[in-house]
Amino acid sequence: MEFRRITSLPPYVFTIIDTLKIEARRAGEDVIDFGFGNPDLPSPDVAVDKVVEAVRNPRNHRYSSSRGIPKLRQAVSDLYLRRFGVALDPDTEVINTIGAKEGFSHLMWTLLGPGDAALVPSPSYPIHIYGPLFAGADIREVPLGTGRDFFESLQEAWEYSWPKPRVIVMSFPHNPTTTCVDLEFMQKVVDFAREREVVVVHDNAYADLGFDGYSPPSILQAEGAKEVAVEIYSMTKSFSMAGWRVAFLVGRSDVVQALAKLKSYLDYGTFQPIQIAATVTLNEVPDYPKVVQEIYQSRRDALCSGLQRIGWDLDPPMGTMFVWAPIPEPYRDMGSIEFASFLVREANVATSPGVGFGPGGDGHVRFALIENEQRTSQAIRNLRRALTRLR
């Protein structure tokens, strides 16, 4: 098996679709946008009320702590114990980051450098690919969603790589492929990493978005995980607080503390009123993720059943806020950029071209579940009219 070695950045293909959306809207068209995974649901009322209260206190206008205020780190520890049964030391195993992307990118600087390598699923969320590259390291792409066992591919990638990868990057439920795993899989990865002294970085962005009874595991639930693994937990999806930029790195203490040291040079933390509001939210509305999950599951059902009715064959995802849709067979002559562009021009429906998530993503488009059921129904009608080869 060949594992690609990426040394340069490809064009950011999502701007192609963004430009088409802007042009269509300027022309008066109503574009139904499933492209950017930007949560549209409101943040909890308690978060809004608390941030307004806290921002009026001038003491909160000063520099904050880059590690996160103590009560916030304690609230995250409580969440992990409640949600996953995992005990965390808020002083040594938890740190606040200014969003998951910031936390992940800076973490790569602490773990990797020129001459190092990381194993990364392909396709993947772009920062998972480019974070190691920004640190000067190389990546080894591990095919995901091809019908082949991912863990076997992971093992093979490590064995055939030189230099031996120092980091394994994962994110399950997975964006964009929506692949889900169980705790048994997490245990196999942890055991593999312990034997080879590899650090596992798990981005648990969709920790609370499991459907049909599926509950996504934390890698820290695996035995021995704290010896090799760290995990990123974000309030973006679970609490619909995307613009607030509140996330956390938890797990292996020396890795967490390495990021804390780097951040002490780089930033003064999230604006303190936001940290206070996040603390109150975690403590007072811990069930809010359930509300969010139910809405996304309803949207998933509306979109997938509608696409299936018009002849677009796909499997409903078990997790995330996305649908990873293979380009229908009659349109396979188009690549994902051409097909996504066609959908904007002919159906006023915007999606993300799969190739934007890496070479392994071509042949798919990604729908983000950010439109309500009524708008989704309109999108299905538009697609039915445009996709004439499906009839």
Side-chain angles (χ1 to χ4, degrees), residues 101-131:
K101 289 177 73 172
E102 181 266 0
F104 179 83
S105 300
H106 290 162
L107 178 63
M108 293 298 102
W109 294 4
T110 70
L111 296 176
L112 297 168
D116 293 331
L119 297 179
V120 183
S122 178
S124 259
Y125 185 51
I127 197 61
H128 294 162
I129 297 172
Y130 303 132

mmCIF file of all heavy atoms in Angstrom, residues 101-131:
data_model
loop_
_atom_site.group_PDB
_atom_site.id
_atom_site.type_symbol
_atom_site.label_atom_id
_atom_site.label_comp_id
_atom_site.label_asym_id
_atom_site.label_seq_id
_atom_site.Cartn_x
_atom_site.Cartn_y
_atom_site.Cartn_z
ATOM 1 N N LYS A 101 -9.558 24.340 16.760
ATOM 2 C CA LYS A 101 -8.546 24.485 15.714
ATOM 3 C C LYS A 101 -7.282 25.124 16.269
ATOM 4 O O LYS A 101 -6.164 24.704 15.958
ATOM 5 C CB LYS A 101 -9.095 25.319 14.558
ATOM 6 C CG LYS A 101 -10.158 24.597 13.742
ATOM 7 C CD LYS A 101 -10.736 25.480 12.650
ATOM 8 C CE LYS A 101 -9.765 25.682 11.526
ATOM 9 N NZ LYS A 101 -10.378 26.391 10.367
ATOM 10 N N GLU A 102 -7.448 26.156 17.111
ATOM 11 C CA GLU A 102 -6.285 26.780 17.731
ATOM 12 C C GLU A 102 -5.561 25.778 18.612
ATOM 13 O O GLU A 102 -4.330 25.642 18.557
ATOM 14 C CB GLU A 102 -6.722 28.002 18.554
ATOM 15 C CG GLU A 102 -5.587 28.749 19.243
ATOM 16 C CD GLU A 102 -5.336 28.317 20.677
ATOM 17 O OE1 GLU A 102 -6.044 27.409 21.177
ATOM 18 O OE2 GLU A 102 -4.410 28.848 21.300
ATOM 19 N N GLY A 103 -6.329 25.072 19.434
ATOM 20 C CA GLY A 103 -5.710 24.099 20.321
ATOM 21 C C GLY A 103 -4.964 23.026 19.568
ATOM 22 O O GLY A 103 -3.833 22.664 19.927
ATOM 23 N N PHE A 104 -5.561 22.500 18.502
ATOM 24 C CA PHE A 104 -4.922 21.447 17.724
ATOM 25 C C PHE A 104 -3.658 21.963 17.029
ATOM 26 O O PHE A 104 -2.610 21.305 17.055
ATOM 27 C CB PHE A 104 -5.892 20.883 16.685
ATOM 28 C CG PHE A 104 -5.302 19.801 15.824
ATOM 29 C CD1 PHE A 104 -5.268 18.486 16.269
ATOM 30 C CD2 PHE A 104 -4.763 20.095 14.585
ATOM 31 C CE1 PHE A 104 -4.695 17.488 15.494
ATOM 32 C CE2 PHE A 104 -4.189 19.105 13.804
ATOM 33 C CZ PHE A 104 -4.162 17.798 14.258
ATOM 34 N N SER A 105 -3.760 23.126 16.402
ATOM 35 C CA SER A 105 -2.616 23.660 15.661
ATOM 36 C C SER A 105 -1.427 23.894 16.573
ATOM 37 O O SER A 105 -0.296 23.511 16.250
ATOM 38 C CB SER A 105 -3.009 24.975 14.980
ATOM 39 O OG SER A 105 -4.073 24.774 14.070
ATOM 40 N N HIS A 106 -1.665 24.542 17.713
ATOM 41 C CA HIS A 106 -0.565 24.807 18.635
ATOM 42 C C HIS A 106 -0.045 23.519 19.273
ATOM 43 O O HIS A 106 1.163 23.404 19.557
ATOM 44 C CB HIS A 106 -1.016 25.799 19.703
ATOM 45 C CG HIS A 106 -1.218 27.181 19.157
ATOM 46 N ND1 HIS A 106 -1.946 28.149 19.806
ATOM 47 C CD2 HIS A 106 -0.780 27.754 18.002
ATOM 48 C CE1 HIS A 106 -1.945 29.261 19.079
ATOM 49 N NE2 HIS A 106 -1.250 29.042 17.985
ATOM 50 N N LEU A 107 -0.919 22.553 19.477
ATOM 51 C CA LEU A 107 -0.475 21.264 20.011
ATOM 52 C C LEU A 107 0.528 20.607 19.073
ATOM 53 O O LEU A 107 1.509 20.000 19.513
ATOM 54 C CB LEU A 107 -1.674 20.354 20.246
ATOM 55 C CG LEU A 107 -1.368 18.940 20.751
ATOM 56 C CD1 LEU A 107 -0.711 19.000 22.130
ATOM 57 C CD2 LEU A 107 -2.644 18.102 20.798
ATOM 58 N N MET A 108 0.286 20.713 17.772
ATOM 59 C CA MET A 108 1.212 20.124 16.807
ATOM 60 C C MET A 108 2.602 20.735 16.942
ATOM 61 O O MET A 108 3.618 20.055 16.738
ATOM 62 C CB MET A 108 0.686 20.293 15.374
ATOM 63 C CG MET A 108 -0.583 19.499 15.065
ATOM 64 S SD MET A 108 -0.393 17.694 15.217
ATOM 65 C CE MET A 108 -1.175 17.416 16.812
ATOM 66 N N TRP A 109 2.673 22.027 17.288
ATOM 67 C CA TRP A 109 3.980 22.667 17.468
ATOM 68 C C TRP A 109 4.740 22.051 18.641
ATOM 69 O O TRP A 109 5.975 22.042 18.645
ATOM 70 C CB TRP A 109 3.810 24.166 17.721
ATOM 71 C CG TRP A 109 3.265 24.953 16.587
ATOM 72 C CD1 TRP A 109 2.829 24.481 15.378
ATOM 73 C CD2 TRP A 109 3.097 26.365 16.540
ATOM 74 N NE1 TRP A 109 2.377 25.516 14.593
ATOM 75 C CE2 TRP A 109 2.536 26.691 15.284
ATOM 76 C CE3 TRP A 109 3.344 27.389 17.439
ATOM 77 C CZ2 TRP A 109 2.233 27.990 14.917
ATOM 78 C CZ3 TRP A 109 3.044 28.701 17.067
ATOM 79 C CH2 TRP A 109 2.503 28.990 15.829
ATOM 80 N N THR A 110 4.018 21.575 19.635
ATOM 81 C CA THR A 110 4.684 21.000 20.801
ATOM 82 C C THR A 110 5.090 19.548 20.572
ATOM 83 O O THR A 110 5.976 19.041 21.256
ATOM 84 C CB THR A 110 3.788 21.063 22.051
ATOM 85 O OG1 THR A 110 2.696 20.150 21.910
ATOM 86 C CG2 THR A 110 3.262 22.467 22.274
ATOM 87 N N LEU A 111 4.444 18.870 19.630
ATOM 88 C CA LEU A 111 4.668 17.439 19.425
ATOM 89 C C LEU A 111 5.531 17.114 18.219
ATOM 90 O O LEU A 111 6.129 16.039 18.160
ATOM 91 C CB LEU A 111 3.328 16.710 19.277
ATOM 92 C CG LEU A 111 2.400 16.723 20.488
ATOM 93 C CD1 LEU A 111 1.069 16.050 20.135
ATOM 94 C CD2 LEU A 111 3.039 16.024 21.683
ATOM 95 N N LEU A 112 5.578 18.025 17.238
ATOM 96 C CA LEU A 112 6.209 17.716 15.960
ATOM 97 C C LEU A 112 7.131 18.844 15.515
ATOM 98 O O LEU A 112 6.955 19.999 15.894
ATOM 99 C CB LEU A 112 5.142 17.485 14.882
ATOM 100 C CG LEU A 112 4.195 16.305 15.073
ATOM 101 C CD1 LEU A 112 3.035 16.398 14.096
ATOM 102 C CD2 LEU A 112 4.940 14.984 14.887
ATOM 103 N N GLY A 113 8.080 18.492 14.670
ATOM 104 C CA GLY A 113 8.965 19.455 14.056
ATOM 105 C C GLY A 113 9.491 18.913 12.749
ATOM 106 O O GLY A 113 9.131 17.804 12.318
ATOM 107 N N PRO A 114 10.338 19.664 12.073
ATOM 108 C CA PRO A 114 10.920 19.185 10.816
ATOM 109 C C PRO A 114 11.598 17.824 10.995
ATOM 110 O O PRO A 114 12.326 17.595 11.961
ATOM 111 C CB PRO A 114 11.939 20.283 10.483
ATOM 112 C CG PRO A 114 11.385 21.516 11.127
ATOM 113 C CD PRO A 114 10.762 21.040 12.406
ATOM 114 N N GLY A 115 11.318 16.929 10.063
ATOM 115 C CA GLY A 115 11.864 15.586 10.126
ATOM 116 C C GLY A 115 10.962 14.577 10.802
ATOM 117 O O GLY A 115 11.204 13.380 10.723
ATOM 118 N N ASP A 116 9.907 15.067 11.474
ATOM 119 C CA ASP A 116 8.942 14.174 12.113
ATOM 120 C C ASP A 116 7.804 13.849 11.150
ATOM 121 O O ASP A 116 7.673 14.455 10.077
ATOM 122 C CB ASP A 116 8.358 14.834 13.374
ATOM 123 C CG ASP A 116 9.405 15.005 14.469
ATOM 124 O OD1 ASP A 116 10.335 14.191 14.519
ATOM 125 O OD2 ASP A 116 9.267 15.965 15.261
ATOM 126 N N ALA A 117 6.963 12.904 11.570
ATOM 127 C CA ALA A 117 5.811 12.520 10.751
ATOM 128 C C ALA A 117 4.630 12.194 11.652
ATOM 129 O O ALA A 117 4.798 11.814 12.815
ATOM 130 C CB ALA A 117 6.146 11.313 9.869
ATOM 131 N N ALA A 118 3.443 12.363 11.097
ATOM 132 C CA ALA A 118 2.202 12.043 11.797
ATOM 133 C C ALA A 118 1.318 11.208 10.888
ATOM 134 O O ALA A 118 1.305 11.390 9.661
ATOM 135 C CB ALA A 118 1.464 13.319 12.213
ATOM 136 N N LEU A 119 0.572 10.292 11.492
ATOM 137 C CA LEU A 119 -0.429 9.519 10.761
ATOM 138 C C LEU A 119 -1.762 10.259 10.844
ATOM 139 O O LEU A 119 -2.214 10.611 11.940
ATOM 140 C CB LEU A 119 -0.580 8.123 11.364
ATOM 141 C CG LEU A 119 0.634 7.203 11.316
ATOM 142 C CD1 LEU A 119 0.312 5.872 11.994
ATOM 143 C CD2 LEU A 119 1.086 6.971 9.885
ATOM 144 N N VAL A 120 -2.385 10.484 9.684
ATOM 145 C CA VAL A 120 -3.633 11.245 9.620
ATOM 146 C C VAL A 120 -4.595 10.527 8.679
ATOM 147 O O VAL A 120 -4.209 10.131 7.580
ATOM 148 C CB VAL A 120 -3.390 12.678 9.104
ATOM 149 C CG1 VAL A 120 -4.683 13.485 9.121
ATOM 150 C CG2 VAL A 120 -2.320 13.382 9.931
ATOM 151 N N PRO A 121 -5.859 10.341 9.091
ATOM 152 C CA PRO A 121 -6.834 9.729 8.179
ATOM 153 C C PRO A 121 -7.013 10.566 6.921
ATOM 154 O O PRO A 121 -6.845 11.786 6.935
ATOM 155 C CB PRO A 121 -8.132 9.704 9.007
ATOM 156 C CG PRO A 121 -7.692 9.807 10.428
ATOM 157 C CD PRO A 121 -6.456 10.645 10.404
ATOM 158 N N SER A 122 -7.334 9.902 5.832
ATOM 159 C CA SER A 122 -7.649 10.584 4.580
ATOM 160 C C SER A 122 -8.914 9.985 3.985
ATOM 161 O O SER A 122 -8.992 8.771 3.825
ATOM 162 C CB SER A 122 -6.505 10.441 3.577
ATOM 163 O OG SER A 122 -6.830 11.067 2.351
ATOM 164 N N PRO A 123 -9.934 10.814 3.724
ATOM 165 C CA PRO A 123 -9.965 12.268 3.885
ATOM 166 C C PRO A 123 -10.067 12.683 5.349
ATOM 167 O O PRO A 123 -10.360 11.858 6.212
ATOM 168 C CB PRO A 123 -11.227 12.668 3.111
ATOM 169 C CG PRO A 123 -12.115 11.470 3.207
ATOM 170 C CD PRO A 123 -11.198 10.289 3.154
ATOM 171 N N SER A 124 -9.843 13.980 5.620
ATOM 172 C CA SER A 124 -9.923 14.490 6.977
ATOM 173 C C SER A 124 -10.302 15.960 6.973
ATOM 174 O O SER A 124 -10.162 16.658 5.964
ATOM 175 C CB SER A 124 -8.590 14.333 7.713
ATOM 176 O OG SER A 124 -8.604 13.232 8.586
ATOM 177 N N TYR A 125 -10.755 16.418 8.144
ATOM 178 C CA TYR A 125 -10.961 17.840 8.370
ATOM 179 C C TYR A 125 -9.635 18.545 8.072
ATOM 180 O O TYR A 125 -8.580 18.104 8.533
ATOM 181 C CB TYR A 125 -11.372 18.033 9.826
ATOM 182 C CG TYR A 125 -11.735 19.441 10.227
ATOM 183 C CD1 TYR A 125 -12.654 20.181 9.498
ATOM 184 C CD2 TYR A 125 -11.174 20.008 11.367
ATOM 185 C CE1 TYR A 125 -12.997 21.458 9.884
ATOM 186 C CE2 TYR A 125 -11.510 21.286 11.767
ATOM 187 C CZ TYR A 125 -12.422 22.011 11.023
ATOM 188 O OH TYR A 125 -12.756 23.289 11.409
ATOM 189 N N PRO A 126 -9.632 19.632 7.277
ATOM 190 C CA PRO A 126 -8.377 20.189 6.776
ATOM 191 C C PRO A 126 -7.306 20.475 7.823
ATOM 192 O O PRO A 126 -6.123 20.198 7.589
ATOM 193 C CB PRO A 126 -8.837 21.468 6.068
ATOM 194 C CG PRO A 126 -10.198 21.123 5.548
ATOM 195 C CD PRO A 126 -10.802 20.275 6.634
ATOM 196 N N ILE A 127 -7.659 21.011 8.997
ATOM 197 C CA ILE A 127 -6.622 21.354 9.967
ATOM 198 C C ILE A 127 -5.908 20.108 10.491
ATOM 199 O O ILE A 127 -4.751 20.182 10.908
ATOM 200 C CB ILE A 127 -7.198 22.183 11.134
ATOM 201 C CG1 ILE A 127 -6.057 22.876 11.908
ATOM 202 C CG2 ILE A 127 -8.027 21.320 12.058
ATOM 203 C CD1 ILE A 127 -5.242 23.828 11.094
ATOM 204 N N HIS A 128 -6.578 18.950 10.444
ATOM 205 C CA HIS A 128 -5.906 17.723 10.867
ATOM 206 C C HIS A 128 -4.782 17.351 9.900
ATOM 207 O O HIS A 128 -3.798 16.717 10.290
ATOM 208 C CB HIS A 128 -6.904 16.578 10.961
ATOM 209 C CG HIS A 128 -7.927 16.761 12.032
ATOM 210 N ND1 HIS A 128 -9.110 16.052 12.057
ATOM 211 C CD2 HIS A 128 -7.959 17.581 13.119
ATOM 212 C CE1 HIS A 128 -9.812 16.426 13.117
ATOM 213 N NE2 HIS A 128 -9.133 17.354 13.765
ATOM 214 N N ILE A 129 -4.933 17.736 8.661
ATOM 215 C CA ILE A 129 -3.898 17.498 7.659
ATOM 216 C C ILE A 129 -2.816 18.573 7.748
ATOM 217 O O ILE A 129 -1.620 18.283 7.750
ATOM 218 C CB ILE A 129 -4.514 17.477 6.240
ATOM 219 C CG1 ILE A 129 -5.513 16.315 6.103
ATOM 220 C CG2 ILE A 129 -3.420 17.379 5.178
ATOM 221 C CD1 ILE A 129 -6.298 16.327 4.802
ATOM 222 N N TYR A 130 -3.246 19.829 7.847
ATOM 223 C CA TYR A 130 -2.297 20.930 7.735
ATOM 224 C C TYR A 130 -1.641 21.307 9.055
ATOM 225 O O TYR A 130 -0.561 21.913 9.052
ATOM 226 C CB TYR A 130 -2.990 22.146 7.113
ATOM 227 C CG TYR A 130 -3.579 21.828 5.766
ATOM 228 C CD1 TYR A 130 -4.878 22.184 5.441
ATOM 229 C CD2 TYR A 130 -2.829 21.131 4.819
ATOM 230 C CE1 TYR A 130 -5.423 21.858 4.217
ATOM 231 C CE2 TYR A 130 -3.367 20.802 3.597
ATOM 232 C CZ TYR A 130 -4.666 21.169 3.288
ATOM 233 O OH TYR A 130 -5.197 20.835 2.078
ATOM 234 N N GLY A 131 -2.241 20.959 10.194
ATOM 235 C CA GLY A 131 -1.619 21.263 11.472
ATOM 236 C C GLY A 131 -0.209 20.692 11.578
ATOM 237 O O GLY A 131 0.743 21.420 11.921
#
